[in-house]
Amino acid sequence: MRTVSAKLKHIGTSLSSSSRPYSLTPLASSHGKPRNPPSPTLLNEFVNFCYQRDLPKAMNAIAAMERHGIYADSITYSELIKCCLARNAVEQGKLVHKHVFSNGYQPKTFLINILISMYVKFKLLDEAQALFDQMPERNVVSWTTMISAYANAKLSDKALEFFVLMLREGVLPNMFTFSSVLRACNGLFNVRQLHCGMIKLGLESDVFVRSALIDVYSKLDELKDAICVFNEMETKDLVVWNSIIGGLAQNNDGDEALDQFKRMKRAGFTADQATLTSVLRACTGLALLEVGRQVHVHVLKFDVDLILNNALLDMYCKSGSLEDAKSVFERMVHKDVISWSTMIAGLAQNGFSQEALKLFDLMKASGIKPNYITILGVLFACSHAGLVDDGFYYFRSMKRLYGIDPGREHYGCIIDLLGRAGKVDEAVRLVQEMECEPDAVTWRTLLGACRVHHNVDLAIYAGKQVLKLDPEDAGTYVLLSNIYANCQRWEDVSEIRRQMREKGITKEPGCSWIEVNKQIHAFIVGDTAHPKINEINRRLNQLIHKLMGIGYVPDTNFVLQDLEGEQRDDSLWYHSEKLAIVFGLMSLSSGSVIRIRKNLRICGDCHTFAKLVAKMECRVILIRDPIRYHHFQNGVCSCGDYW
């Protein structure tokens, strides 16, 4: 049997000609005649009950009508079905289905479609398909309902199969059909085939179709195609703007997402909840606190919107502004598991582990059941505070107390916790007992612990496991090279460097970003491109000499081992976060927090430097790296030097 992808190759042909119909067993098509003359009173009462949404009386009337062979019109039955859906009355819905087919009566296609939709909304797909299979005639609504149902249920192959069968039966898809079937596409080939079909039918300019195309191209990380579809539209509405902004934000292209948001506003469109959620996601990815605060003003119009408030909460947590996050959290009228989990993880990542665990206790007391992400935040809090016993308790009891099976991320947190506490052997045993296969992140976590605690043999083994799973991981190559160099195993150092050269692997340069006056300034190690770099370097040199006067000594353990002597010191002096800190001191008022985002984990020397600068200059410095957030104030860091 050919695959769905192969079948979709012939969409163009199917759209222009029909072949054999989709053969299914039809219901009897004869229309039964009422056994008794209609009773106007009974029928009128039934109609009134349906429109008044009086379900018990309507169901009683149905029984009487069935005895007399009386039937209402399709619109009335549709009102009754709406009532069943509103009350989640599954059994009553089935009785309506039975009634409209009783005594040989054959309802119209319109009503059968409504019944199919009812079963879909009740999540009874087998019943929906059984009714669909018995239809003597199926129109575009019938097919689209089933395709949409399977797409929503993540039964992608089934949705695509029904689309092909629909074409074979000679039914032309409409904009809603394409919007539905696109959601079922997991591969670019099928999307492109469907895209061609839309063009042949002249539907490519439809707003719903364009929006669905942008969504699916974005989901497949094909942003160029998504932007191309967007730009081809002569007239755009809010749905399409939301699709492109959301797609860009989801694919971590926050700059372009914000640019499109500005274009949308200039075009005269007003942002809704979906727009603002995506814009907040873009601000979160870029750590643009000031822009996020401007978006917060728009959010106030939708103050009770839970999804929007959760996005706002996430933005403040990931921008390191916990006071703002706490304010949003406390003002939220409704909180779901996402709200609590976001706040717990935010506190943990910002170094406030005890507060995170207290909030977890409050969450349980409120009656909200923790989920997979909640426990991950709790374990992260334990890991980054060295709470070994607490961490193990939550890890070992998560299945028993909350019915949550530990995943790789949970194991990773506990391995990290044990490694940080120096319990490397226990961490290795946990890796060995994992129910799922350890991935590169798990081995990388163990490698980091071995490096800190100088377990050379195990570090080399873990490093090799990482490279088996992720052969392009430059950081692991460099770390292994440094470990070999520290052991004076120079032949191994040469071999690692040879492998890197042959594979074209280079270490990603450290980069730091800082927002000043709504503009982002980027720095890399040894930067020469910034227009104020000479002044920054001069101020940095002065600052380092000043710090050396109170005991600061550059820690060259965090420099590549193939640098020597003063060259190694110089490399440390011009790390990107140091340049960003000095630029912040130069550019921001004395009361402003210096907020920096980094692409790599902060090194130990820069961590010490930031603590000393925060104390000497009486400033608050916040550095966000890929792992966590460091709040430096009065010579201490929120991580407690445990990172």
PDB file of all heavy atoms in Angstrom, residues 220-245:
ATOM      1  N   LEU A 220       7.988  23.797  11.203  1.00  0.00           N
ATOM      2  CA  LEU A 220       9.036  22.985  10.580  1.00  0.00           C
ATOM      3  C   LEU A 220      10.358  23.747  10.474  1.00  0.00           C
ATOM      4  O   LEU A 220      11.287  23.292   9.812  1.00  0.00           O
ATOM      5  CB  LEU A 220       8.582  22.533   9.192  1.00  0.00           C
ATOM      6  CG  LEU A 220       7.371  21.604   9.159  1.00  0.00           C
ATOM      7  CD1 LEU A 220       6.897  21.378   7.735  1.00  0.00           C
ATOM      8  CD2 LEU A 220       7.687  20.276   9.832  1.00  0.00           C
ATOM      9  N   ASP A 221      10.426  24.916  11.122  1.00  0.00           N
ATOM     10  CA  ASP A 221      11.649  25.732  11.140  1.00  0.00           C
ATOM     11  C   ASP A 221      12.025  26.219   9.741  1.00  0.00           C
ATOM     12  O   ASP A 221      13.203  26.394   9.432  1.00  0.00           O
ATOM     13  CB  ASP A 221      12.813  24.947  11.766  1.00  0.00           C
ATOM     14  CG  ASP A 221      13.927  25.871  12.263  1.00  0.00           C
ATOM     15  OD1 ASP A 221      13.649  27.065  12.465  1.00  0.00           O
ATOM     16  OD2 ASP A 221      15.065  25.397  12.423  1.00  0.00           O
ATOM     17  N   GLU A 222      11.020  26.423   8.900  1.00  0.00           N
ATOM     18  CA  GLU A 222      11.251  26.953   7.553  1.00  0.00           C
ATOM     19  C   GLU A 222      10.775  28.411   7.531  1.00  0.00           C
ATOM     20  O   GLU A 222       9.787  28.768   6.893  1.00  0.00           O
ATOM     21  CB  GLU A 222      10.486  26.114   6.518  1.00  0.00           C
ATOM     22  CG  GLU A 222      10.928  24.667   6.423  1.00  0.00           C
ATOM     23  CD  GLU A 222      12.320  24.528   5.825  1.00  0.00           C
ATOM     24  OE1 GLU A 222      12.749  25.431   5.072  1.00  0.00           O
ATOM     25  OE2 GLU A 222      12.982  23.509   6.109  1.00  0.00           O
ATOM     26  N   LEU A 223      11.519  29.261   8.248  1.00  0.00           N
ATOM     27  CA  LEU A 223      11.075  30.643   8.427  1.00  0.00           C
ATOM     28  C   LEU A 223      11.088  31.433   7.124  1.00  0.00           C
ATOM     29  O   LEU A 223      10.267  32.332   6.924  1.00  0.00           O
ATOM     30  CB  LEU A 223      11.942  31.346   9.472  1.00  0.00           C
ATOM     31  CG  LEU A 223      11.689  30.951  10.927  1.00  0.00           C
ATOM     32  CD1 LEU A 223      12.543  31.788  11.858  1.00  0.00           C
ATOM     33  CD2 LEU A 223      10.222  31.119  11.291  1.00  0.00           C
ATOM     34  N   LYS A 224      12.016  31.105   6.228  1.00  0.00           N
ATOM     35  CA  LYS A 224      12.064  31.823   4.953  1.00  0.00           C
ATOM     36  C   LYS A 224      10.770  31.612   4.180  1.00  0.00           C
ATOM     37  O   LYS A 224      10.222  32.550   3.590  1.00  0.00           O
ATOM     38  CB  LYS A 224      13.262  31.357   4.127  1.00  0.00           C
ATOM     39  CG  LYS A 224      14.604  31.856   4.659  1.00  0.00           C
ATOM     40  CD  LYS A 224      15.734  31.436   3.744  1.00  0.00           C
ATOM     41  CE  LYS A 224      17.075  31.940   4.273  1.00  0.00           C
ATOM     42  NZ  LYS A 224      18.212  31.505   3.405  1.00  0.00           N
ATOM     43  N   ASP A 225      10.290  30.365   4.175  1.00  0.00           N
ATOM     44  CA  ASP A 225       9.023  30.083   3.490  1.00  0.00           C
ATOM     45  C   ASP A 225       7.864  30.785   4.185  1.00  0.00           C
ATOM     46  O   ASP A 225       6.952  31.300   3.520  1.00  0.00           O
ATOM     47  CB  ASP A 225       8.769  28.571   3.453  1.00  0.00           C
ATOM     48  CG  ASP A 225       9.697  27.851   2.493  1.00  0.00           C
ATOM     49  OD1 ASP A 225       9.844  28.314   1.361  1.00  0.00           O
ATOM     50  OD2 ASP A 225      10.285  26.836   2.885  1.00  0.00           O
ATOM     51  N   ALA A 226       7.880  30.785   5.513  1.00  0.00           N
ATOM     52  CA  ALA A 226       6.803  31.443   6.263  1.00  0.00           C
ATOM     53  C   ALA A 226       6.763  32.938   5.941  1.00  0.00           C
ATOM     54  O   ALA A 226       5.683  33.505   5.685  1.00  0.00           O
ATOM     55  CB  ALA A 226       7.008  31.229   7.763  1.00  0.00           C
ATOM     56  N   ILE A 227       7.927  33.568   5.928  1.00  0.00           N
ATOM     57  CA  ILE A 227       7.990  35.004   5.645  1.00  0.00           C
ATOM     58  C   ILE A 227       7.587  35.281   4.202  1.00  0.00           C
ATOM     59  O   ILE A 227       6.912  36.274   3.908  1.00  0.00           O
ATOM     60  CB  ILE A 227       9.405  35.543   5.945  1.00  0.00           C
ATOM     61  CG1 ILE A 227       9.664  35.490   7.458  1.00  0.00           C
ATOM     62  CG2 ILE A 227       9.566  36.963   5.438  1.00  0.00           C
ATOM     63  CD1 ILE A 227      11.090  35.784   7.853  1.00  0.00           C
ATOM     64  N   CYS A 228       7.972  34.369   3.282  1.00  0.00           N
ATOM     65  CA  CYS A 228       7.602  34.524   1.871  1.00  0.00           C
ATOM     66  C   CYS A 228       6.081  34.495   1.707  1.00  0.00           C
ATOM     67  O   CYS A 228       5.505  35.339   1.014  1.00  0.00           O
ATOM     68  CB  CYS A 228       8.259  33.429   1.045  1.00  0.00           C
ATOM     69  SG  CYS A 228       7.920  33.541  -0.724  1.00  0.00           S
ATOM     70  N   VAL A 229       5.417  33.526   2.361  1.00  0.00           N
ATOM     71  CA  VAL A 229       3.954  33.443   2.311  1.00  0.00           C
ATOM     72  C   VAL A 229       3.333  34.716   2.873  1.00  0.00           C
ATOM     73  O   VAL A 229       2.377  35.275   2.309  1.00  0.00           O
ATOM     74  CB  VAL A 229       3.455  32.208   3.099  1.00  0.00           C
ATOM     75  CG1 VAL A 229       1.937  32.241   3.250  1.00  0.00           C
ATOM     76  CG2 VAL A 229       3.892  30.916   2.422  1.00  0.00           C
ATOM     77  N   PHE A 230       3.892  35.203   3.957  1.00  0.00           N
ATOM     78  CA  PHE A 230       3.379  36.414   4.600  1.00  0.00           C
ATOM     79  C   PHE A 230       3.536  37.630   3.683  1.00  0.00           C
ATOM     80  O   PHE A 230       2.600  38.408   3.493  1.00  0.00           O
ATOM     81  CB  PHE A 230       4.121  36.644   5.915  1.00  0.00           C
ATOM     82  CG  PHE A 230       3.750  37.912   6.622  1.00  0.00           C
ATOM     83  CD1 PHE A 230       2.566  38.009   7.334  1.00  0.00           C
ATOM     84  CD2 PHE A 230       4.578  39.021   6.573  1.00  0.00           C
ATOM     85  CE1 PHE A 230       2.212  39.184   7.982  1.00  0.00           C
ATOM     86  CE2 PHE A 230       4.244  40.196   7.218  1.00  0.00           C
ATOM     87  CZ  PHE A 230       3.059  40.280   7.925  1.00  0.00           C
ATOM     88  N   ASN A 231       4.723  37.769   3.086  1.00  0.00           N
ATOM     89  CA  ASN A 231       5.001  38.962   2.272  1.00  0.00           C
ATOM     90  C   ASN A 231       4.204  38.982   0.972  1.00  0.00           C
ATOM     91  O   ASN A 231       3.988  40.054   0.390  1.00  0.00           O
ATOM     92  CB  ASN A 231       6.497  39.051   1.956  1.00  0.00           C
ATOM     93  CG  ASN A 231       7.316  39.421   3.183  1.00  0.00           C
ATOM     94  OD1 ASN A 231       6.799  40.042   4.116  1.00  0.00           O
ATOM     95  ND2 ASN A 231       8.575  39.052   3.186  1.00  0.00           N
ATOM     96  N   GLU A 232       3.775  37.794   0.486  1.00  0.00           N
ATOM     97  CA  GLU A 232       3.012  37.738  -0.758  1.00  0.00           C
ATOM     98  C   GLU A 232       1.591  38.276  -0.600  1.00  0.00           C
ATOM     99  O   GLU A 232       0.924  38.566  -1.594  1.00  0.00           O
ATOM    100  CB  GLU A 232       2.947  36.296  -1.274  1.00  0.00           C
ATOM    101  CG  GLU A 232       4.252  35.814  -1.893  1.00  0.00           C
ATOM    102  CD  GLU A 232       4.184  34.349  -2.266  1.00  0.00           C
ATOM    103  OE1 GLU A 232       3.169  33.694  -1.938  1.00  0.00           O
ATOM    104  OE2 GLU A 232       5.153  33.849  -2.868  1.00  0.00           O
ATOM    105  N   MET A 233       1.132  38.408   0.636  1.00  0.00           N
ATOM    106  CA  MET A 233      -0.235  38.875   0.870  1.00  0.00           C
ATOM    107  C   MET A 233      -0.324  40.379   0.661  1.00  0.00           C
ATOM    108  O   MET A 233       0.425  41.149   1.273  1.00  0.00           O
ATOM    109  CB  MET A 233      -0.693  38.527   2.291  1.00  0.00           C
ATOM    110  CG  MET A 233      -0.852  37.051   2.546  1.00  0.00           C
ATOM    111  SD  MET A 233      -1.719  36.726   4.095  1.00  0.00           S
ATOM    112  CE  MET A 233      -3.383  37.247   3.693  1.00  0.00           C
ATOM    113  N   GLU A 234      -1.237  40.780  -0.191  1.00  0.00           N
ATOM    114  CA  GLU A 234      -1.411  42.210  -0.421  1.00  0.00           C
ATOM    115  C   GLU A 234      -2.128  42.863   0.752  1.00  0.00           C
ATOM    116  O   GLU A 234      -1.799  43.974   1.164  1.00  0.00           O
ATOM    117  CB  GLU A 234      -2.203  42.438  -1.713  1.00  0.00           C
ATOM    118  CG  GLU A 234      -1.440  42.002  -2.966  1.00  0.00           C
ATOM    119  CD  GLU A 234      -2.223  42.282  -4.226  1.00  0.00           C
ATOM    120  OE1 GLU A 234      -3.286  42.936  -4.132  1.00  0.00           O
ATOM    121  OE2 GLU A 234      -1.776  41.853  -5.307  1.00  0.00           O
ATOM    122  N   THR A 235      -3.147  42.193   1.265  1.00  0.00           N
ATOM    123  CA  THR A 235      -3.855  42.699   2.442  1.00  0.00           C
ATOM    124  C   THR A 235      -3.704  41.687   3.563  1.00  0.00           C
ATOM    125  O   THR A 235      -3.855  40.493   3.358  1.00  0.00           O
ATOM    126  CB  THR A 235      -5.354  42.914   2.142  1.00  0.00           C
ATOM    127  OG1 THR A 235      -5.918  41.684   1.696  1.00  0.00           O
ATOM    128  CG2 THR A 235      -5.525  43.970   1.069  1.00  0.00           C
ATOM    129  N   LYS A 236      -3.401  42.175   4.731  1.00  0.00           N
ATOM    130  CA  LYS A 236      -3.160  41.300   5.879  1.00  0.00           C
ATOM    131  C   LYS A 236      -4.147  41.658   6.983  1.00  0.00           C
ATOM    132  O   LYS A 236      -4.484  42.824   7.169  1.00  0.00           O
ATOM    133  CB  LYS A 236      -1.727  41.475   6.392  1.00  0.00           C
ATOM    134  CG  LYS A 236      -0.659  41.221   5.325  1.00  0.00           C
ATOM    135  CD  LYS A 236       0.732  41.541   5.864  1.00  0.00           C
ATOM    136  CE  LYS A 236       1.807  41.215   4.846  1.00  0.00           C
ATOM    137  NZ  LYS A 236       1.791  42.113   3.685  1.00  0.00           N
ATOM    138  N   ASP A 237      -4.587  40.640   7.722  1.00  0.00           N
ATOM    139  CA  ASP A 237      -5.428  40.915   8.879  1.00  0.00           C
ATOM    140  C   ASP A 237      -4.687  40.478  10.142  1.00  0.00           C
ATOM    141  O   ASP A 237      -3.549  39.985  10.084  1.00  0.00           O
ATOM    142  CB  ASP A 237      -6.795  40.240   8.754  1.00  0.00           C
ATOM    143  CG  ASP A 237      -6.719  38.726   8.918  1.00  0.00           C
ATOM    144  OD1 ASP A 237      -5.607  38.177   8.973  1.00  0.00           O
ATOM    145  OD2 ASP A 237      -7.793  38.100   8.987  1.00  0.00           O
ATOM    146  N   LEU A 238      -5.324  40.646  11.281  1.00  0.00           N
ATOM    147  CA  LEU A 238      -4.658  40.386  12.561  1.00  0.00           C
ATOM    148  C   LEU A 238      -4.266  38.920  12.709  1.00  0.00           C
ATOM    149  O   LEU A 238      -3.216  38.607  13.296  1.00  0.00           O
ATOM    150  CB  LEU A 238      -5.588  40.806  13.714  1.00  0.00           C
ATOM    151  CG  LEU A 238      -4.985  40.751  15.117  1.00  0.00           C
ATOM    152  CD1 LEU A 238      -3.771  41.663  15.228  1.00  0.00           C
ATOM    153  CD2 LEU A 238      -6.027  41.139  16.163  1.00  0.00           C
ATOM    154  N   VAL A 239      -5.084  38.010  12.157  1.00  0.00           N
ATOM    155  CA  VAL A 239      -4.777  36.578  12.266  1.00  0.00           C
ATOM    156  C   VAL A 239      -3.428  36.269  11.619  1.00  0.00           C
ATOM    157  O   VAL A 239      -2.597  35.544  12.170  1.00  0.00           O
ATOM    158  CB  VAL A 239      -5.898  35.738  11.613  1.00  0.00           C
ATOM    159  CG1 VAL A 239      -5.513  34.266  11.580  1.00  0.00           C
ATOM    160  CG2 VAL A 239      -7.208  35.919  12.366  1.00  0.00           C
ATOM    161  N   VAL A 240      -3.198  36.837  10.438  1.00  0.00           N
ATOM    162  CA  VAL A 240      -1.952  36.576   9.719  1.00  0.00           C
ATOM    163  C   VAL A 240      -0.772  37.237  10.425  1.00  0.00           C
ATOM    164  O   VAL A 240       0.308  36.645  10.536  1.00  0.00           O
ATOM    165  CB  VAL A 240      -2.072  37.069   8.260  1.00  0.00           C
ATOM    166  CG1 VAL A 240      -0.758  36.857   7.520  1.00  0.00           C
ATOM    167  CG2 VAL A 240      -3.186  36.328   7.550  1.00  0.00           C
ATOM    168  N   TRP A 241      -0.956  38.452  10.907  1.00  0.00           N
ATOM    169  CA  TRP A 241       0.113  39.105  11.676  1.00  0.00           C
ATOM    170  C   TRP A 241       0.481  38.253  12.895  1.00  0.00           C
ATOM    171  O   TRP A 241       1.673  38.059  13.196  1.00  0.00           O
ATOM    172  CB  TRP A 241      -0.335  40.501  12.137  1.00  0.00           C
ATOM    173  CG  TRP A 241      -0.262  41.569  11.083  1.00  0.00           C
ATOM    174  CD1 TRP A 241      -1.307  42.132  10.421  1.00  0.00           C
ATOM    175  CD2 TRP A 241       0.917  42.196  10.573  1.00  0.00           C
ATOM    176  NE1 TRP A 241      -0.858  43.076   9.530  1.00  0.00           N
ATOM    177  CE2 TRP A 241       0.509  43.140   9.608  1.00  0.00           C
ATOM    178  CE3 TRP A 241       2.274  42.060  10.845  1.00  0.00           C
ATOM    179  CZ2 TRP A 241       1.407  43.943   8.908  1.00  0.00           C
ATOM    180  CZ3 TRP A 241       3.181  42.860  10.141  1.00  0.00           C
ATOM    181  CH2 TRP A 241       2.750  43.783   9.194  1.00  0.00           C
ATOM    182  N   ASN A 242      -0.526  37.752  13.582  1.00  0.00           N
ATOM    183  CA  ASN A 242      -0.257  36.912  14.760  1.00  0.00           C
ATOM    184  C   ASN A 242       0.506  35.648  14.381  1.00  0.00           C
ATOM    185  O   ASN A 242       1.387  35.191  15.121  1.00  0.00           O
ATOM    186  CB  ASN A 242      -1.567  36.531  15.452  1.00  0.00           C
ATOM    187  CG  ASN A 242      -2.153  37.673  16.249  1.00  0.00           C
ATOM    188  OD1 ASN A 242      -1.470  38.659  16.530  1.00  0.00           O
ATOM    189  ND2 ASN A 242      -3.409  37.561  16.622  1.00  0.00           N
ATOM    190  N   SER A 243       0.180  35.078  13.218  1.00  0.00           N
ATOM    191  CA  SER A 243       0.858  33.855  12.786  1.00  0.00           C
ATOM    192  C   SER A 243       2.345  34.098  12.558  1.00  0.00           C
ATOM    193  O   SER A 243       3.188  33.314  13.001  1.00  0.00           O
ATOM    194  CB  SER A 243       0.214  33.309  11.505  1.00  0.00           C
ATOM    195  OG  SER A 243      -1.090  32.867  11.759  1.00  0.00           O
ATOM    196  N   ILE A 244       2.692  35.171  11.849  1.00  0.00           N
ATOM    197  CA  ILE A 244       4.104  35.410  11.538  1.00  0.00           C
ATOM    198  C   ILE A 244       4.875  35.832  12.790  1.00  0.00           C
ATOM    199  O   ILE A 244       6.005  35.387  13.016  1.00  0.00           O
ATOM    200  CB  ILE A 244       4.258  36.447  10.396  1.00  0.00           C
ATOM    201  CG1 ILE A 244       5.700  36.433   9.882  1.00  0.00           C
ATOM    202  CG2 ILE A 244       3.847  37.839  10.827  1.00  0.00           C
ATOM    203  CD1 ILE A 244       6.123  35.151   9.236  1.00  0.00           C
ATOM    204  N   ILE A 245       4.274  36.656  13.632  1.00  0.00           N
ATOM    205  CA  ILE A 245       4.955  37.076  14.867  1.00  0.00           C
ATOM    206  C   ILE A 245       5.151  35.871  15.786  1.00  0.00           C
ATOM    207  O   ILE A 245       6.232  35.674  16.351  1.00  0.00           O
ATOM    208  CB  ILE A 245       4.154  38.196  15.575  1.00  0.00           C
ATOM    209  CG1 ILE A 245       4.164  39.470  14.730  1.00  0.00           C
ATOM    210  CG2 ILE A 245       4.740  38.490  16.958  1.00  0.00           C
ATOM    211  CD1 ILE A 245       3.196  40.535  15.210  1.00  0.00           C
TER     212      ILE A 245
END
